[in-house]
Structure formats: C-alpha cells, structure tokens
Amino acid sequence: MKDAEAFAQGKIGDLDGLMRELDGWVGSLTAAMGDLDEQRLEGTDPTQTVRAEVAGTGRLLALSIDSQKLRDLDHVELAEAVQEAIVAARLAIGERLTDLMRDLAGPQVSTDDSDPLAPYIQNVLREG
C-alpha cells in the first residue's frame, strides 16, 4: 500500500508498483464479490411472519410464511410483510458488502471524505 499512499499524498512514486497494488486490489475485490455471490442471506418482517432468503446478488431464492401468524394478517398486511422481509434480506447484503469493503480496504484507509486524487490533480495543474 506504500505506492497508493504516496499517490494519495500527491507524490507520483513508483507507478509500476502502484499498478501492481491496484491489480492486487482488483483481484481481491473480484474474489470477494464471487464469495458474496455464493452466500445466502435472510431477512424477516418485524412480526417474524415472513422470512425471505436472497442470494448475494440480491435475487430472491425462497420465501416462507408462518402459517399460524398468517391468520392474523389481511392481504394488504401480508403483502407489506413480504416486502419488508425481502428488503431486510437485501439490507443484509448491503451490510455484508460494507464489511467486505472495510476488510479489503484495511486499517490504513482514511475516513477523510476528500477526493484522494485531489493532491495529484493539483500537482499536475501546478506543474503542467
């Protein structure tokens, strides 16, 4: 990560090294996304009547409804419960993806929201 850090600080550094680091990051990201694609995540509605299972891609795989709790819902409430369960499962994907990105980024990533390319661009503009 030393080449990426140098680049973020506005220093050109070793461009070949930076490209190797980026290639490694892309490979790690590709592998991580492949792993996420294989995962199955679940979500339920607040009443625990409906359970949805989705693939890591967000595709709905299964939907199960508790038959005893179903009796307490009308058709509109059931439709809302189904939607809430699917949304909860897809939010679980988002959380998993956030954790995955945090792990890939490592502890050295700054929480600064500024543009990491800004110092380099300013340097190019200043020096031509």
Side-chain angles (χ1 to χ4, degrees), residues 27 49 62 70 86-88 101 125:
T49 302
L70 174 63
I86 293 170
V87 166
M101 292 298 114
L125 292 173

Side-chain angles (χ1 to χ4, degrees), residues 71-121:
R71 296 176 189 160
D72 298 333
L73 303 177
D74 64 21
H75 66 283
V76 173
E77 292 170 327
L78 177 59
E80 289 172 352
V82 168
Q83 289 176 340
E84 289 171 344
I86 293 170
V87 166
R90 290 185 174 158
L91 286 173
I93 294 170
E95 291 172 8
R96 184 71 54 91
L97 186 58
T98 298
D99 292 342
L100 183 87
M101 292 298 114
R102 188 177 300 120
D103 291 344
L104 287 175
Q108 299 167 347
V109 171
S110 169
T111 58
D112 183 14
D113 289 338
S114 65
D115 183 0
L117 297 177
Y120 176 73
I121 293 170

Side-chain angles (χ1 to χ4, degrees), residues 23-60:
D23 190 43
W25 287 347
V26 169
S28 296
L29 180 60
T30 301
M33 294 305 289
D35 291 344
L36 181 63
D37 186 39
E38 298 294 320
Q39 293 183 14
R40 296 175 183 270
L41 298 129
E42 293 184 359
T44 62
D45 70 298
T47 65
Q48 305 283 315
T49 302
V50 180
R51 183 184 62 82
E53 181 180 349
V54 296
T57 58
R59 189 176 65 116
L60 181 64

